[in-house]
Amino acid sequence: MSAEKKVSNTGSGRDLEFAGTTMTTSTRLASMFGGKAVTVGPRIAPVPDWLKVEESSDGDEHSSEAILNRQLASEEDASIQYRTCSWQKTAALLFSEYICLAIMSFPWSYSFLGLVPGLILTIVIAAVVLYTSLIMWEFCLRHPEVRDVCDLGQMLFWGKEWAWWGTALMFVLNNTFIQGLHVLVGAEYINTMTETDKIGGCRTVEFSVAITVICWLASLPRTFSMMSKLGTASALFTFISVLLATIFAGIQGTPAGYAPLTKGEPIVTAIPVHSTTFVQGMAAFLNISYTFIGQITLPSFIAEMRDPREFPKSLWACTIAEILVFCVVGGVIYAYTGNQYVTAPAFGSLHDLYKKVSFSFMIPTIIFLGCLYASVTARFVFFRWFKGSRHLNDHTVVGWGSWAGILLVTWILAFIISQVIPFFSSLLSVMSSLFDSWFGFIFWGVAYFRMRGADRKVGRYRSPTFDWLSMALNVVIILTGIFFLTVGTYASVQGIMDSFAAGEVGGVFSCKSNGL
């Protein structure tokens, strides 16, 4: 195969490709950091019939760029426009998704993994998620009609209808579990703030209902452009919350529950202690992984960008911030609380005043991030229900009523989940093992091999060494996902059983306070 330029006409239009290893430096950098120099590869799936138009003489009407331009043009005069996000607004959405409450599970995870393995694992997972997110971004560029991960899942598995339904089920369940987590933590917050007050009735269930209603109302905005403004404030308040918690852990002297005669002084270990069980270690690993893995929402974010080629800028900015915040917060709080006094979330390791002050700054995130996932789920249903209808882009009673109704159903399900699995760390582990196995690893390993096959058909080749290393890496990514799904699920379920057996929670639909 020569190193001359090739032209692809395999359903994506005439994308200029390179054979051999003649890619320029700017093209290589664009494949990592985005920008105008990005080269869009060939599709792995044909252009769907509903996107086909009569081709012009130069045959470009079905290229990825042409499809994107038609999508933008179709919204020009619409009352509700969806492709409005810049990379800065998308970064705000990513910050609000990742700079979240789950950060406060890191000290708990480090107490089982040991500080050194915990920090190393944090960085490694961040790097893997960054890599797989770039694969996902490249896939979305080749198929700009993709609105969410369900469209993507069907394409990955050869257009099979079962793949769409399977992905849709996991997609909705994952998002609803996350909403349930935020209902749970919202009730924890109110219980924490009112722990000395006598509340009539079933306090935890009542507080969960109140949080559910508030979140439903807050999730009503229909565009991510609007949500990104709320997301910026959410990420800022979360940063203040975890910063205060970190400072308070250092200045409070001793952790909450300090009992030197029975528990001893806080013990901080560089490596796992001998008493750490496999279930505990796996739960800690899954907790860290869950906080990083958020690719399930990324196709929806990219689908609302005016220029999807700019997405890696948002991704890199968020990843660097994640590594810094997660490592510093997790490491410092663990260093001051030790193995005996750390809790999940770590606010429980702070004395009463410090706990209430720092936890209070988490309120916007408790509300907003659940709303973000609810909005992603509602889009999934709404766009299919009203595809091609005026209710999609115009302000109509039917459109807004349906949107509100879809959101209400998701929040009712979230409330039920919050009452059935009423403990923070175990709920994180369950979500990580069941859903992140697919959306964090398996999907993107498969995506790599599908795109590699499409590239080779049109003469796009990489150097043999780089090609073999990339294939090996993606095989490992797929195997890691399978490990999550099998062994991880076992450890998560066993952890839940152990928590119930130990009496760490009050039970299903419990009236007992779950305050920290």
Side-chain angles (χ1 to χ4, degrees):
M1 177 65 66
S2 67
E4 61 184 353
K5 294 181 180 179
K6 299 287 181 180
V7 174
S8 164
N9 286 297
T10 58
S12 63
R14 303 187 346 166
D15 296 321
L16 192 62
E17 310 298 347
F18 292 86
T21 57
T22 59
M23 292 180 68
T24 65
T25 300
S26 62
T27 304
R28 290 194 189 94
L29 290 175
S31 67
M32 293 180 61
F33 301 105
K36 306 299 182 183
V38 170
T39 300
V40 180
R43 299 174 62 95
I44 69 165
V47 177
D49 292 338
W50 60 274
L51 271 178
K52 289 182 178 179
V53 296
E54 183 177 351
E55 292 203 24
S56 59
S57 58
D58 61 4
D60 281 340
E61 293 305 312
H62 293 158
S63 69
S64 298
E65 184 177 0
I67 293 173
L68 174 61
N69 288 336
R70 289 203 297 274
Q71 290 176 341
L72 291 171
S74 69
E75 294 186 355
E76 283 184 358
D77 299 321
S79 301
I80 302 175
Q81 298 181 354
Y82 293 96
R83 277 200 178 271
T84 56
C85 283
S86 62
W87 75 263
Q88 292 92 340
K89 288 183 178 180
T90 305
L93 288 170
L94 292 179
F95 281 128
S96 65
E97 179 182 3
Y98 289 111
I99 308 299
C100 63
L101 180 66
I103 298 171
M104 299 306 286
S105 72
F106 275 65
W108 179 87
S109 295
Y110 292 171
S111 71
F112 290 112
L113 297 171
L115 186 57
V116 173
L119 291 173
I120 293 173
L121 189 61
T122 300
I123 296 172
V124 169
I125 293 175
V128 172
V129 170
L130 174 65
Y131 172 74
T132 54
S133 297
L134 289 172
I135 290 178
M136 179 274 303
W137 163 69
E138 182 182 348
F139 190 96
C140 290
L141 285 183
R142 299 181 186 217
H143 308 88
E145 73 275 15
V146 167
R147 294 294 315 185
D148 50 52
V149 75
C150 301
D151 291 340
L152 193 151
Q154 185 172 13
M155 286 185 182
L156 284 181
F157 295 98
W158 297 274
K160 301 297 183 182
E161 188 173 351
W162 60 261
W164 187 91
W165 283 106
T167 306
L169 178 62
M170 291 189 294
F171 175 71
V172 172
L173 285 175
N174 177 81
N175 292 354
T176 308
F177 265 76
I178 293 175
Q179 291 172 241
L181 175 68
H182 285 259
V183 173
L184 169 66
V185 178
E188 282 186 350
Y189 170 75
I190 301 176
N191 269 317
T192 299
M193 300 301 289
T194 61
E195 60 185 350
T196 59
D197 300 330
K198 185 176 180 179
I199 306 294
C202 191
R203 60 184 295 154
T204 298
V205 174
E206 291 172 355
F207 292 155
S208 298
V209 170
I211 291 295
T212 301
V213 173
I214 293 170
C215 288
W216 171 63
L217 293 174
S219 58
L220 289 175
R222 278 170 60 176
T223 67
F224 280 139
S225 180
M226 176 67 69
M227 295 290 281
S228 70
K229 298 174 183 177
L230 300 175
T232 302
S234 170
L236 176 61
F237 277 98
T238 301
F239 180 75
I240 294 173
S241 176
V242 298
L243 180 63
L244 286 175
T246 306
I247 294 171
F248 292 157
I251 68 174
Q252 67 180 355
T254 57
Y258 178 67
L261 296 180
T262 56
K263 294 184 178 181
E265 296 295 326
I267 298 174
V268 178
T269 57
I271 58 177
V273 296
H274 294 298
S275 61
T276 298
T277 66
F278 171 76
V279 171
Q280 291 171 332
M282 192 67 195
F285 171 50
L286 291 171
N287 270 226
I288 293 176
S289 301
Y290 164 80
T291 312
F292 278 104
I293 294 172
Q295 294 98 316
I296 189 171
T297 62
L298 301 192
S300 300
F301 294 166
I302 293 172
E304 295 209 9
M305 294 187 70
R306 289 198 67 83
D307 188 353
R309 294 174 299 179
E310 301 288 347
F311 176 73
K313 296 178 181 178
S314 310
L315 191 63
W316 276 98
C318 187
T319 301
I320 293 171
E322 284 179 286
I323 293 174
L324 292 174
V325 173
F326 295 176
C327 288
V328 171
V329 171
V332 171
I333 293 180
Y334 170 56
Y336 282 104
T337 57
N339 296 333
Q340 313 99 300
Y341 303 102
V342 71
T343 62
F347 295 114
S349 301
L350 303 175
H351 289 298
D352 193 59
L353 177 61
Y354 294 145
K355 173 176 61 180
K356 291 181 178 179
V357 170
S358 56
F359 203 180
S360 293
F361 279 94
M362 193 63 73
I363 293 175
T365 297
I366 293 173
I367 303 300
F368 172 78
L369 190 53
C371 295
L372 180 62
Y373 279 91
S375 182
V376 170
T377 302
R379 270 173 176 69
F380 166 68
V381 177
F382 191 78
F383 272 88
R384 282 157 182 77
W385 198 345
F386 291 109
K387 185 176 180 180
S389 167
R390 69 187 184 91
H391 303 300
L392 192 66
N393 293 99
D394 293 335
H395 295 289
T396 65
V397 173
V398 172
W400 276 105
S402 300
W403 176 259
I406 294 167
L407 287 169
L408 182 60
V409 170
T410 68
W411 281 113
I412 291 174
L413 292 174
F415 165 75
I416 295 172
I417 290 171
S418 72
Q419 303 305 301
V420 173
I421 310 179
F423 25 91
F424 184 77
S425 60
S426 293
L427 188 50
L428 288 181
S429 297
V430 169
M431 290 187 292
S432 186
S433 60
L434 286 179
F435 308 121
D436 290 347
S437 55
W438 295 95
F439 299 126
F441 298 97
I442 297 174
F443 268 33
W444 317 121
V446 173
Y448 167 81
F449 284 106
R450 294 298 312 277
M451 290 191 294
R452 178 180 180 273
D455 288 344
R456 294 174 72 85
K457 284 183 180 179
V458 298
R460 297 182 87 209
Y461 291 90
R462 298 177 178 179
S463 67
T465 301
F466 186 77
D467 191 40
W468 278 104
L469 289 175
S470 297
M471 286 193 293
L473 174 60
N474 282 277
V475 168
V476 170
I477 288 172
I478 293 173
L479 292 176
T480 302
I482 295 173
F483 179 77
F484 264 58
L485 185 61
T486 54
V487 179
T489 300
Y490 157 75
S492 300
V493 173
Q494 186 61 51
I496 292 173
M497 294 170 61
D498 292 345
S499 296
F500 274 120
E504 296 176 0
V505 291
V508 176
F509 287 93
S510 172
C511 298
K512 178 182 177 182
S513 172
N514 64 351
L516 299 177

